[in-house]
Amino acid sequence: MSVLDQIKQAEEFKEAGNGQFKEGNYKRALASYHKVFLYVNGLQISSERSALPEESRSTNVVPKDRVEDVKRLKLTTNLNMAACYLKLDDHQKCVDTCGKVLEAGANSKAFFRRGQAYAAMKNVEGARNDFQRARELAPDDPAINAELRRLKSVAAQVDEKEKKTFGGMFDRMKHDKEDSHECDECPRIEEIEETEEVQADEAKPEPKARTIDTDALDDARKPEQAVRPLVYSHTQSEEEVKIYVSFDQHDELIDGVAASRVSCEFGEWSFFLQIQASEPDQAPFGLRLGDFFRRVDPKLCKFAVRSSRITLTFVKREKEHWFNLLQRQG
């Protein structure tokens, strides 16, 4: 499929998603929007300064006259996905999706929808900041001012709840303080000498780094047949990486997947996730990533099948922050 055909197919999926959104079928719309990125994520944006001869250029480079179209397609699709997540009350995903838009630059709709998600999550400060940023970019939009007014009632509810939770405690603390007085019979707190604290800190053993297991599988197997690709997102801490494969990216998966249909093989540098098709004559879904930024421990890696996604957990051999998930990422 040519680059122009891929762009056309992506645009058609976006239009399908828009129609499903208008019908109120938000899960189906999300599945269509996910397919947009299956076609455009592998495309490369051409550089106006590129002087490479035509025959040496990659075959998946977007023509210069379509570069802005592809950028706009990605941006508007993410904004529409954020709107779907709002309708489905999946507020954290809305926040994450708006964040992707804002990575490319300030956008009033992204700030506005993220503000709505924050307000629903009772994050009053985050919502207020986003609504104010949205108003700076679109000062004539009456919906923004309406949300700011609505946020005042949300803030009042949060304040009232905090008063009920903590008010009695503060009253008791004040009462105890007024009634307290020093006397010879009152017990006194023993102070710990500074030298004792230092010695205790020095006595703590250093954490041991995990040793490399020479028996561990180096690389996960590659697919033995054609698979339908899956998209994913990921987060990380110094100890582990989590990869999320959402079921709302395809019509066949949108209602959930039985754990018996899912298998995953872990290696130190890669993994291969496979979801068996619901019909025997269909190709399975698959996701294989290789060349992790650093080694993981396959024996401690695991996956869990949830109602709306699969969560894969990878335990790092060494505690550190990875600059990228994969070595080949720039």
Side-chain angles (χ1 to χ4, degrees), residues 47-100:
S47 172
E48 294 183 357
R49 295 178 296 177
S50 175
L52 292 174
E54 190 68 31
E55 61 271 16
S56 65
R57 295 179 186 174
S58 172
T59 57
N60 64 344
V61 174
V62 177
K64 291 180 182 177
D65 62 339
R66 298 303 307 273
V67 167
E68 291 305 316
D69 293 337
V70 172
K71 288 181 179 179
R72 192 180 308 108
L73 178 61
K74 290 182 177 181
L75 182 145
T76 54
T77 301
N78 271 320
L79 285 172
N80 291 354
M81 291 176 72
C84 287
Y85 288 131
L86 272 178
K87 293 291 187 180
L88 294 169
D89 292 329
D90 198 338
H91 303 119
Q92 185 57 54
K93 280 190 178 180
C94 178
V95 169
D96 296 340
T97 305
C98 290
K100 293 178 183 179

Side-chain angles (χ1 to χ4, degrees), residues 31-50:
S32 295
Y33 292 142
H34 272 296
K35 291 174 185 176
V36 172
F37 292 101
L38 291 178
Y39 284 91
V40 299
N41 272 350
L43 301 180
Q44 297 179 3
I45 302 298
S46 59
S47 172
E48 294 183 357
R49 295 178 296 177
S50 175

Side-chain angles (χ1 to χ4, degrees), residues 10-23 28-29 32-33:
E11 290 173 337
E12 289 176 358
F13 276 124
K14 186 201 168 190
E15 288 303 314
N18 291 350
Q20 290 156 340
F21 182 91
K22 291 176 182 178
E23 295 170 356
R28 298 289 181 188
S32 295
Y33 292 142

Side-chain angles (χ1 to χ4, degrees), residues 104-275:
N107 183 285
S108 61
K109 284 187 178 179
F111 280 124
F112 179 71
R113 288 177 184 164
R114 192 172 71 175
Q116 288 179 301
Y118 277 145
M121 298 165 71
K122 309 301 182 185
N123 183 346
V124 176
E125 190 62 28
R128 183 183 293 112
N129 290 339
D130 275 354
F131 288 145
Q132 289 174 346
R133 292 294 306 277
R135 187 168 59 181
E136 291 172 4
L137 296 169
D140 298 327
D141 190 337
I144 299 173
N145 289 326
E147 288 294 338
L148 279 168
R149 289 193 297 271
R150 189 176 295 113
L151 186 64
K152 290 181 180 179
S153 64
V154 174
Q157 293 174 9
V158 173
D159 290 343
E160 184 64 26
K161 184 176 180 181
E162 289 181 350
K163 285 179 181 178
K164 290 181 179 179
T165 303
F166 300 108
M169 181 181 70
F170 292 146
D171 290 341
R172 287 193 299 272
M173 290 174 63
K174 181 179 179 181
H175 179 73
D176 292 344
K177 184 176 180 181
E178 291 173 351
D179 289 348
S180 65
H181 59 277
E182 290 187 1
C183 64
D184 293 338
E185 297 178 356
C186 293
R188 298 182 181 276
I189 298 174
E190 296 292 337
E191 295 184 357
I192 301 175
E193 296 182 6
E194 184 177 354
T195 54
E196 291 179 351
E197 292 179 347
V198 173
Q199 289 173 357
D201 289 340
E202 291 176 348
K204 293 180 180 178
E206 291 292 328
K208 294 182 179 179
R210 294 188 179 96
T211 57
I212 294 178
D213 185 357
T214 56
D215 295 329
L217 183 66
D218 191 53
D219 264 320
R221 65 185 173 89
K222 295 182 179 180
E224 298 174 354
Q225 64 183 113
V227 297
R228 288 178 282 177
L230 294 166
V231 296
Y232 67 93
S233 61
H234 79 280
T235 59
Q236 69 160 310
S237 66
E238 289 192 347
E239 296 183 343
E240 63 185 23
V241 173
K242 287 185 179 291
I243 288 180
Y244 307 99
V245 179
S246 177
F247 292 150
D248 59 15
Q249 61 184 281
H250 197 281
D251 292 347
E252 187 178 329
L253 307 176
I254 200 165
D255 294 325
V257 172
S260 59
R261 291 173 55 191
V262 182
S263 62
C264 189
E265 184 175 277
F266 297 99
E268 287 192 306
W269 295 101
S270 61
F271 79 96
F272 174 49
L273 172 72
Q274 182 169 290
I275 304 175

